[in-house]
């Protein structure tokens, strides 16, 4: 066979991705103090050995700020993805199993939320919840569950008609046992992949809404804050202020979406023949 | 005991031509009824209705003059499907699937020649004949009074076919079980059944 | 005369993933050899899931990409390379697939058969072909879901015959059909063979195979265990391999007698004779040998060290 073990490659990639993301998150937390430390003797330095990503107009180290910002983004991303993932799982299963009326209500909510542009909804909820960390998490979580809920609802509806589930039911296996043993393991791959793919969305929306000034407060070293502040300095030739944080954000987002695809390759039973 | 279908009418979509129209059929304990009809005439649909998988638009399925749907727990009417690989959860070891609805009589496993090693495997690792025997063992719990066999041996080789039918006939005899045998194979129906019914044609 | 199709020692493997990252190679067909001469119907009979369809797919080079093929396939005496089969399939070599699911559900039968060609010549050719199988002009205007099982089979045979092929591969063309329709469908194949085509008839139904074919190749656990003449099935004494005999005795009309045991799954094979678990005349030697070769015997072929032994009645 000319191609290698694709599953093993996927697993290796996933481990590497997880290690990188964890390292970024941890170092960001450790560097939080350094990220806000000002040193007016060292302001506006271009990238060099002393300050890897340069410093800004207040002499803050951009490397520390970028890492701290990414760390914050990842934490918000994980939190919101988990919250909206669980909401999607519960609502999706409820819509598919609790009868027509429940289904109609939940489907209506899904359509409603999906009908409003994400960024608008995130902004509204964020303002309503008083901005800051809580506001952003609530906004992003509330706007991102519908697509995954719809996928899960569809999966469960299809699964309900699967002969092996009908047979288990006829043999007297209890409803709860059927959901736990036969349904959950089958929707788990879809669910995990959907949740991982929520991360990049959540991170980008967090950065976006913060950039627009409706999210995290400007004292926090978030990527959105960094980018929006650096806008004013870009025209004066301080390219490093936006390039490194922006590129780092794109890399993290890419890492998450490739990881999602690789998780599919590992978890999806239908990929056994790939 | 008597399994009765009274005036069953069923269509898959509301308003479309029914697959089955006003079908009545009764099977008493110990009887083995053969059902024969060309393909696409709703034999499988009839089995699904009799086993309670689908609800007919009109008509009723009665077991001992009581609607089948009122029976709780393991259904006394079990169905064996043509494709055994569809009725076992592909993500579970067979042993887990087998035991989830209660312990299985060891005698049954012996008589169907189900080896212990199979129960440690996943469904994709067994041949069709092995899986079909497994499905029989699972469906034949003590509470099972009727077995609906929908082309259960059509995809199997002749030796496995003969094995399965020998076992089933003996078992049906022993516990006075009623069988509905759906097959397109006349020789098989003649060999196995006490009575052969033909499904009336519906206009497509 | 030269065989139209010759398969020499064909083996097909699959690489698939088990749980996690473990990979496993699964041999589905092992050491298969057969020849089809013009005008001959050769049946390949084996239980479902024994990999018979893969044989058809390997000839047409439409196997999934995780498969691996060994051995040689010769068409008209020359090696059938991927480039060559691409040119020949659909014209000289045609497939009659298992069911309607192989037709495009959104395309009318007529358009689909003509592969989009609209010239009067092609139209006329397909009209004649459909007519030959009792399908009127109106059939061309139907969508595949409107065809009954028998009609769908006839449409696919018509589609195959319109190209005047030299080799027809029929993959389970009869399941789900009642005896009458199945008989008619098989009659159509016989006719095409009598017109000079070679036919590879893949089925799980040994009775049917022995009725329509000239030669029958019997499959067991992915191996050919016997190649017999169709007439051999009239008398059990003419059959060579104990499994074929067991099949014969298991037919409802011949006593419906089963032997014990079951066909092993391809991933669970031991060395030696694979039928050993079910064989009543199995000897120590059958288990000790690494492999049992397929050898010519009494006008056919058999994979058994002691063929034609009466061990069972």
């Amino acid at each position: 066979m000319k191609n290698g073990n694709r599953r093993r490659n996927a697993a290796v990639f996933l481990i590497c991705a997880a290690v990188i993301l964890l390292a970024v998150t941890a170092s960001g937390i450790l560097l939080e103090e350094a990220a806000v430390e000002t040193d007016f003797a060292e302001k506006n330095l271009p990238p060099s050995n002393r300050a890897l990503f340069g410093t800004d107009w207040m002499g803050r180290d951009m490397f520390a700020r970028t890492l701290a910002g990414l760390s914050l983004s990842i934490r918000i991303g994980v939190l919101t993805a988990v919250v909206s993932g669980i909401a999607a799982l519960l609502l999706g299963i409820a819509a598919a199993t609790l009868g027509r009326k429940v289904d109609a209500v939940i489907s209506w909510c899904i359509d409603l939320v999906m009908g409003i542009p994400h960024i608008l909804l995130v902004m509204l909820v964020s303002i309503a919840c008083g901005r800051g960390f809580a506001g952003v998490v609530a906004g992003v979580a509330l706007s991102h569950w519908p697509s995954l809920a719809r996928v899960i609802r569809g999966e469960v509806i299809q699964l309900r008609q699967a002969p092996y589930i009908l047979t288990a039911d006829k043999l007297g296996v209890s409803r709860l046992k059927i959901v736990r043993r036969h349904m959950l393991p089958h929707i788990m791959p879809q669910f995990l992949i959907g949740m991982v793919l929520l991360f990049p969305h959540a991170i980008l929306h967090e950065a976006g809404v913060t950039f627009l000034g409706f999210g995290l407060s400007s004292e926090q070293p978030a990527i959105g804050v960094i980018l929006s502040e650096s806008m004013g300095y870009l025209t004066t030739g301080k390219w490093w202020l936006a390039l490194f944080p922006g590129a780092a954000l794109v890399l993290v987002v890419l890492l998450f979406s490739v990881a999602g695809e690789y998780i599919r390759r590992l978890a999806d039973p239908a990929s056994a023949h790939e | 005991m008597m399994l009765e279908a009274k005036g069953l009418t069923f269509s898959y979509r509301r308003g479309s031509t029914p697959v089955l129209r006003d079908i009545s059929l009764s099977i008493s304990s110990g009887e083995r009824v053969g059902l024969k009809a060309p393909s696409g005439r709703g034999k499988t649909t009839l089995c699904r209705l009799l086993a309670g998988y689908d609800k007919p638009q009109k008509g009723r399925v009665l077991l001992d003059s009581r609607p089948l749907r009122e029976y709780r727990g393991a259904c006394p009417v079990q169905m064996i499907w043509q494709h055994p690989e569809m009725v076992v959860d592909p993500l579970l070891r067979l042993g887990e699937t087998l035991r989830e609805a209660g312990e299985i009589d060891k005698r049954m496993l012996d008589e169907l020649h189900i080896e212990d090693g199979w129960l440690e495997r996943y469904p994709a690792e067994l041949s069709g004949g092995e899986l079909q025997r497994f499905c029989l063992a699972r469906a034949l719990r003590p509470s099972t009074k009727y077995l609906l066999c929908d082309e259960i041996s059509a995809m199997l080789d002749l030796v496995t076919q003969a094995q399965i039918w020998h076992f089933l006939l003996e078992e049906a005899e022993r516990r006075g079980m009623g069988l509905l045998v759906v097959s397109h194979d006349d020789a098989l129906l003649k060999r196995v059944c006490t009575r052969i019914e033909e499904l009336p044609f519906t206009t497509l | 005369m030269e065989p139209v199709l010759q398969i020499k020692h064909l083996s097909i493997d699959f690489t698939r993933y088990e749980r996690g990252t473990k990979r496993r190679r699964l041999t589905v067909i092992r050491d298969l050899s057969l020849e089809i001469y013009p005008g001959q119907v050769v049946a390949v009979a084996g239980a479902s899931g024994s990999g018979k369809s893969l044989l058809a797919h390997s000839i047409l080079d439409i196997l999934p990409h995780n498969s691996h093929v060994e051995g040689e396939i010769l068409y008209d005496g020359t090696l059938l390379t991927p480039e060559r089969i691409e040119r020949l399939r659909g014209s000289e070599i045609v497939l009659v697939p298992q069911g309607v699911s192989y037709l495009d559900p959104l395309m009318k039968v007529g358009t689909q058969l003509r592969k989009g060609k609209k010239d009067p010549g092609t139209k006329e050719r397909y009209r004649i072909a459909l007519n030959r199988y009792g399908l009127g002009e109106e059939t061309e205007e139907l969508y595949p879901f409107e065809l009954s099982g028998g009609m769908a089979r006839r449409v696919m045979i018509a589609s195959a015959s319109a190209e005047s092929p030299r080799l027809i591969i029929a993959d389970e063309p009869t399941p789900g059909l009642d005896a009458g329709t199945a008989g008619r469908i098989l009659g159509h194949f016989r006719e095409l063979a009598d017109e000079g085509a070679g036919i590879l008839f893949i089925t799980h139904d040994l009775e049917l195979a022995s009725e329509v074919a000239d030669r029958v190749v019997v499959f067991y656990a992915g191996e050919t265990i016997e190649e017999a003449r169709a007439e051999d099935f009239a008398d059990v004494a003419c059959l060579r391999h104990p499994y074929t005999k067991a099949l014969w005795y298991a037919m409802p009309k011949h006593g419906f007698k089963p032997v014990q045991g079951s066909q092993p799954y391809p991933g669970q094979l031991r060395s030696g004779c694979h039928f050993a678990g079910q064989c009543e005349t199995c000897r120590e030697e059958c288990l000790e040998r690494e492999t049992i070769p397929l050898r010519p015997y009494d006008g056919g072929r058999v994979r058994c060290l002691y063929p034609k032994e009466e061990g069972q009645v």
Side-chain angles (χ1 to χ4, degrees), chain B residues 77-97:
Chain B
V77 181
Q78 291 291 336
M79 174 172 170
I80 307 285
W81 302 54
Q82 179 175 1
H83 301 286
E85 64 279 6
M86 288 173 67
V87 289
V88 286
D89 190 327
L91 299 182
L92 286 183
R93 282 175 211 277
L94 286 167
E96 294 172 48
T97 304

PDB file of all heavy atoms in Angstrom, chain B residues 77-97:
ATOM      1  N   VAL B  77     -44.705 -11.128  19.463  1.00  0.00           N
ATOM      2  CA  VAL B  77     -44.546 -11.363  18.024  1.00  0.00           C
ATOM      3  C   VAL B  77     -43.209 -10.761  17.599  1.00  0.00           C
ATOM      4  O   VAL B  77     -43.005  -9.559  17.699  1.00  0.00           O
ATOM      5  CB  VAL B  77     -45.681 -10.706  17.216  1.00  0.00           C
ATOM      6  CG1 VAL B  77     -45.505 -10.988  15.729  1.00  0.00           C
ATOM      7  CG2 VAL B  77     -47.024 -11.190  17.704  1.00  0.00           C
ATOM      8  N   GLN B  78     -42.293 -11.615  17.169  1.00  0.00           N
ATOM      9  CA  GLN B  78     -40.979 -11.125  16.758  1.00  0.00           C
ATOM     10  C   GLN B  78     -40.795 -11.338  15.262  1.00  0.00           C
ATOM     11  O   GLN B  78     -41.375 -12.234  14.681  1.00  0.00           O
ATOM     12  CB  GLN B  78     -39.873 -11.855  17.521  1.00  0.00           C
ATOM     13  CG  GLN B  78     -39.814 -11.506  18.992  1.00  0.00           C
ATOM     14  CD  GLN B  78     -39.342 -10.077  19.230  1.00  0.00           C
ATOM     15  OE1 GLN B  78     -38.657  -9.483  18.397  1.00  0.00           O
ATOM     16  NE2 GLN B  78     -39.710  -9.517  20.371  1.00  0.00           N
ATOM     17  N   MET B  79     -39.973 -10.466  14.689  1.00  0.00           N
ATOM     18  CA  MET B  79     -39.745 -10.577  13.254  1.00  0.00           C
ATOM     19  C   MET B  79     -38.266 -10.838  12.993  1.00  0.00           C
ATOM     20  O   MET B  79     -37.396 -10.289  13.658  1.00  0.00           O
ATOM     21  CB  MET B  79     -40.172  -9.259  12.600  1.00  0.00           C
ATOM     22  CG  MET B  79     -39.881  -9.151  11.135  1.00  0.00           C
ATOM     23  SD  MET B  79     -40.650  -7.637  10.484  1.00  0.00           S
ATOM     24  CE  MET B  79     -39.931  -7.593   8.853  1.00  0.00           C
ATOM     25  N   ILE B  80     -37.995 -11.710  12.032  1.00  0.00           N
ATOM     26  CA  ILE B  80     -36.614 -11.939  11.583  1.00  0.00           C
ATOM     27  C   ILE B  80     -36.516 -11.319  10.195  1.00  0.00           C
ATOM     28  O   ILE B  80     -37.359 -11.563   9.340  1.00  0.00           O
ATOM     29  CB  ILE B  80     -36.295 -13.439  11.502  1.00  0.00           C
ATOM     30  CG1 ILE B  80     -36.617 -14.136  12.810  1.00  0.00           C
ATOM     31  CG2 ILE B  80     -34.840 -13.662  11.125  1.00  0.00           C
ATOM     32  CD1 ILE B  80     -35.642 -13.883  13.903  1.00  0.00           C
ATOM     33  N   TRP B  81     -35.489 -10.502   9.995  1.00  0.00           N
ATOM     34  CA  TRP B  81     -35.393  -9.742   8.758  1.00  0.00           C
ATOM     35  C   TRP B  81     -34.547 -10.448   7.723  1.00  0.00           C
ATOM     36  O   TRP B  81     -33.733 -11.306   8.046  1.00  0.00           O
ATOM     37  CB  TRP B  81     -34.789  -8.359   9.039  1.00  0.00           C
ATOM     38  CG  TRP B  81     -35.544  -7.536  10.026  1.00  0.00           C
ATOM     39  CD1 TRP B  81     -35.896  -7.908  11.293  1.00  0.00           C
ATOM     40  CD2 TRP B  81     -36.042  -6.210   9.848  1.00  0.00           C
ATOM     41  NE1 TRP B  81     -36.578  -6.879  11.906  1.00  0.00           N
ATOM     42  CE2 TRP B  81     -36.671  -5.830  11.048  1.00  0.00           C
ATOM     43  CE3 TRP B  81     -35.994  -5.300   8.787  1.00  0.00           C
ATOM     44  CZ2 TRP B  81     -37.255  -4.582  11.218  1.00  0.00           C
ATOM     45  CZ3 TRP B  81     -36.572  -4.060   8.967  1.00  0.00           C
ATOM     46  CH2 TRP B  81     -37.211  -3.707  10.165  1.00  0.00           C
ATOM     47  N   GLN B  82     -34.723 -10.005   6.484  1.00  0.00           N
ATOM     48  CA  GLN B  82     -33.959 -10.608   5.395  1.00  0.00           C
ATOM     49  C   GLN B  82     -32.463 -10.323   5.537  1.00  0.00           C
ATOM     50  O   GLN B  82     -31.622 -11.155   5.254  1.00  0.00           O
ATOM     51  CB  GLN B  82     -34.465 -10.074   4.051  1.00  0.00           C
ATOM     52  CG  GLN B  82     -33.693 -10.632   2.875  1.00  0.00           C
ATOM     53  CD  GLN B  82     -34.276 -10.184   1.557  1.00  0.00           C
ATOM     54  OE1 GLN B  82     -35.246  -9.433   1.510  1.00  0.00           O
ATOM     55  NE2 GLN B  82     -33.699 -10.646   0.473  1.00  0.00           N
ATOM     56  N   HIS B  83     -32.151  -9.086   5.960  1.00  0.00           N
ATOM     57  CA  HIS B  83     -30.744  -8.709   6.062  1.00  0.00           C
ATOM     58  C   HIS B  83     -30.353  -8.582   7.531  1.00  0.00           C
ATOM     59  O   HIS B  83     -30.575  -7.549   8.140  1.00  0.00           O
ATOM     60  CB  HIS B  83     -30.494  -7.390   5.337  1.00  0.00           C
ATOM     61  CG  HIS B  83     -30.850  -7.453   3.893  1.00  0.00           C
ATOM     62  ND1 HIS B  83     -30.072  -8.117   2.982  1.00  0.00           N
ATOM     63  CD2 HIS B  83     -31.907  -6.970   3.209  1.00  0.00           C
ATOM     64  CE1 HIS B  83     -30.638  -8.043   1.794  1.00  0.00           C
ATOM     65  NE2 HIS B  83     -31.754  -7.348   1.903  1.00  0.00           N
ATOM     66  N   PRO B  84     -29.753  -9.628   8.099  1.00  0.00           N
ATOM     67  CA  PRO B  84     -29.469  -9.617   9.531  1.00  0.00           C
ATOM     68  C   PRO B  84     -28.505  -8.505   9.933  1.00  0.00           C
ATOM     69  O   PRO B  84     -28.538  -8.028  11.057  1.00  0.00           O
ATOM     70  CB  PRO B  84     -28.866 -10.992   9.791  1.00  0.00           C
ATOM     71  CG  PRO B  84     -28.412 -11.484   8.463  1.00  0.00           C
ATOM     72  CD  PRO B  84     -29.322 -10.873   7.454  1.00  0.00           C
ATOM     73  N   GLU B  85     -27.657  -8.047   8.997  1.00  0.00           N
ATOM     74  CA  GLU B  85     -26.671  -7.032   9.379  1.00  0.00           C
ATOM     75  C   GLU B  85     -27.331  -5.692   9.697  1.00  0.00           C
ATOM     76  O   GLU B  85     -26.727  -4.826  10.308  1.00  0.00           O
ATOM     77  CB  GLU B  85     -25.603  -6.877   8.289  1.00  0.00           C
ATOM     78  CG  GLU B  85     -26.080  -6.366   6.945  1.00  0.00           C
ATOM     79  CD  GLU B  85     -26.705  -7.457   6.077  1.00  0.00           C
ATOM     80  OE1 GLU B  85     -26.875  -8.592   6.548  1.00  0.00           O
ATOM     81  OE2 GLU B  85     -27.041  -7.150   4.926  1.00  0.00           O
ATOM     82  N   MET B  86     -28.623  -5.536   9.283  1.00  0.00           N
ATOM     83  CA  MET B  86     -29.284  -4.263   9.558  1.00  0.00           C
ATOM     84  C   MET B  86     -29.901  -4.199  10.946  1.00  0.00           C
ATOM     85  O   MET B  86     -30.249  -3.128  11.422  1.00  0.00           O
ATOM     86  CB  MET B  86     -30.374  -4.005   8.522  1.00  0.00           C
ATOM     87  CG  MET B  86     -29.815  -3.662   7.165  1.00  0.00           C
ATOM     88  SD  MET B  86     -31.106  -3.563   5.953  1.00  0.00           S
ATOM     89  CE  MET B  86     -31.984  -2.138   6.527  1.00  0.00           C
ATOM     90  N   VAL B  87     -30.087  -5.347  11.585  1.00  0.00           N
ATOM     91  CA  VAL B  87     -30.804  -5.335  12.858  1.00  0.00           C
ATOM     92  C   VAL B  87     -29.892  -5.501  14.065  1.00  0.00           C
ATOM     93  O   VAL B  87     -30.355  -5.738  15.166  1.00  0.00           O
ATOM     94  CB  VAL B  87     -31.911  -6.403  12.903  1.00  0.00           C
ATOM     95  CG1 VAL B  87     -33.041  -6.017  11.992  1.00  0.00           C
ATOM     96  CG2 VAL B  87     -31.381  -7.757  12.545  1.00  0.00           C
ATOM     97  N   VAL B  88     -28.582  -5.397  13.848  1.00  0.00           N
ATOM     98  CA  VAL B  88     -27.676  -5.399  14.992  1.00  0.00           C
ATOM     99  C   VAL B  88     -26.880  -4.100  14.969  1.00  0.00           C
ATOM    100  O   VAL B  88     -26.481  -3.637  13.913  1.00  0.00           O
ATOM    101  CB  VAL B  88     -26.722  -6.609  14.961  1.00  0.00           C
ATOM    102  CG1 VAL B  88     -27.467  -7.866  15.322  1.00  0.00           C
ATOM    103  CG2 VAL B  88     -26.086  -6.766  13.602  1.00  0.00           C
ATOM    104  N   ASP B  89     -26.703  -3.525  16.144  1.00  0.00           N
ATOM    105  CA  ASP B  89     -25.980  -2.262  16.248  1.00  0.00           C
ATOM    106  C   ASP B  89     -24.524  -2.489  15.848  1.00  0.00           C
ATOM    107  O   ASP B  89     -23.817  -3.275  16.491  1.00  0.00           O
ATOM    108  CB  ASP B  89     -26.066  -1.750  17.687  1.00  0.00           C
ATOM    109  CG  ASP B  89     -25.538  -0.338  17.807  1.00  0.00           C
ATOM    110  OD1 ASP B  89     -24.607   0.001  17.050  1.00  0.00           O
ATOM    111  OD2 ASP B  89     -26.047   0.413  18.644  1.00  0.00           O
ATOM    112  N   PRO B  90     -24.063  -1.814  14.771  1.00  0.00           N
ATOM    113  CA  PRO B  90     -22.700  -2.071  14.284  1.00  0.00           C
ATOM    114  C   PRO B  90     -21.610  -1.666  15.267  1.00  0.00           C
ATOM    115  O   PRO B  90     -20.471  -2.097  15.124  1.00  0.00           O
ATOM    116  CB  PRO B  90     -22.615  -1.229  13.004  1.00  0.00           C
ATOM    117  CG  PRO B  90     -23.708  -0.229  13.102  1.00  0.00           C
ATOM    118  CD  PRO B  90     -24.783  -0.866  13.915  1.00  0.00           C
ATOM    119  N   LEU B  91     -21.935  -0.867  16.272  1.00  0.00           N
ATOM    120  CA  LEU B  91     -20.889  -0.389  17.180  1.00  0.00           C
ATOM    121  C   LEU B  91     -20.777  -1.221  18.455  1.00  0.00           C
ATOM    122  O   LEU B  91     -19.963  -0.930  19.319  1.00  0.00           O
ATOM    123  CB  LEU B  91     -21.148   1.070  17.564  1.00  0.00           C
ATOM    124  CG  LEU B  91     -21.155   2.076  16.415  1.00  0.00           C
ATOM    125  CD1 LEU B  91     -21.365   3.474  16.961  1.00  0.00           C
ATOM    126  CD2 LEU B  91     -19.859   2.013  15.637  1.00  0.00           C
ATOM    127  N   LEU B  92     -21.642  -2.213  18.593  1.00  0.00           N
ATOM    128  CA  LEU B  92     -21.597  -3.018  19.817  1.00  0.00           C
ATOM    129  C   LEU B  92     -21.118  -4.430  19.505  1.00  0.00           C
ATOM    130  O   LEU B  92     -21.414  -4.973  18.450  1.00  0.00           O
ATOM    131  CB  LEU B  92     -22.992  -3.117  20.440  1.00  0.00           C
ATOM    132  CG  LEU B  92     -23.551  -1.888  21.147  1.00  0.00           C
ATOM    133  CD1 LEU B  92     -24.903  -2.226  21.741  1.00  0.00           C
ATOM    134  CD2 LEU B  92     -22.617  -1.431  22.239  1.00  0.00           C
ATOM    135  N   ARG B  93     -20.399  -5.020  20.477  1.00  0.00           N
ATOM    136  CA  ARG B  93     -20.055  -6.424  20.330  1.00  0.00           C
ATOM    137  C   ARG B  93     -21.346  -7.231  20.379  1.00  0.00           C
ATOM    138  O   ARG B  93     -22.294  -6.862  21.072  1.00  0.00           O
ATOM    139  CB  ARG B  93     -19.166  -6.871  21.483  1.00  0.00           C
ATOM    140  CG  ARG B  93     -17.737  -6.446  21.336  1.00  0.00           C
ATOM    141  CD  ARG B  93     -16.959  -6.838  22.595  1.00  0.00           C
ATOM    142  NE  ARG B  93     -15.883  -5.887  22.819  1.00  0.00           N
ATOM    143  CZ  ARG B  93     -14.705  -5.961  22.201  1.00  0.00           C
ATOM    144  NH1 ARG B  93     -14.463  -6.935  21.356  1.00  0.00           N
ATOM    145  NH2 ARG B  93     -13.771  -5.061  22.434  1.00  0.00           N
ATOM    146  N   LEU B  94     -21.370  -8.353  19.660  1.00  0.00           N
ATOM    147  CA  LEU B  94     -22.619  -9.106  19.559  1.00  0.00           C
ATOM    148  C   LEU B  94     -23.122  -9.581  20.911  1.00  0.00           C
ATOM    149  O   LEU B  94     -24.315  -9.607  21.161  1.00  0.00           O
ATOM    150  CB  LEU B  94     -22.425 -10.287  18.613  1.00  0.00           C
ATOM    151  CG  LEU B  94     -22.377  -9.825  17.163  1.00  0.00           C
ATOM    152  CD1 LEU B  94     -21.884 -10.927  16.273  1.00  0.00           C
ATOM    153  CD2 LEU B  94     -23.753  -9.357  16.722  1.00  0.00           C
ATOM    154  N   GLY B  95     -22.189  -9.936  21.791  1.00  0.00           N
ATOM    155  CA  GLY B  95     -22.592 -10.388  23.114  1.00  0.00           C
ATOM    156  C   GLY B  95     -23.419  -9.343  23.836  1.00  0.00           C
ATOM    157  O   GLY B  95     -24.444  -9.647  24.456  1.00  0.00           O
ATOM    158  N   GLU B  96     -23.004  -8.083  23.706  1.00  0.00           N
ATOM    159  CA  GLU B  96     -23.720  -7.008  24.387  1.00  0.00           C
ATOM    160  C   GLU B  96     -25.120  -6.856  23.807  1.00  0.00           C
ATOM    161  O   GLU B  96     -26.096  -6.663  24.526  1.00  0.00           O
ATOM    162  CB  GLU B  96     -22.961  -5.686  24.237  1.00  0.00           C
ATOM    163  CG  GLU B  96     -21.616  -5.687  24.935  1.00  0.00           C
ATOM    164  CD  GLU B  96     -20.816  -4.439  24.601  1.00  0.00           C
ATOM    165  OE1 GLU B  96     -21.382  -3.345  24.679  1.00  0.00           O
ATOM    166  OE2 GLU B  96     -19.626  -4.569  24.251  1.00  0.00           O
ATOM    167  N   THR B  97     -25.212  -6.928  22.482  1.00  0.00           N
ATOM    168  CA  THR B  97     -26.513  -6.837  21.833  1.00  0.00           C
ATOM    169  C   THR B  97     -27.410  -7.992  22.268  1.00  0.00           C
ATOM    170  O   THR B  97     -28.596  -7.815  22.523  1.00  0.00           O
ATOM    171  CB  THR B  97     -26.344  -6.869  20.309  1.00  0.00           C
ATOM    172  OG1 THR B  97     -25.470  -5.818  19.938  1.00  0.00           O
ATOM    173  CG2 THR B  97     -27.658  -6.682  19.600  1.00  0.00           C
TER     174      THR B  97
END
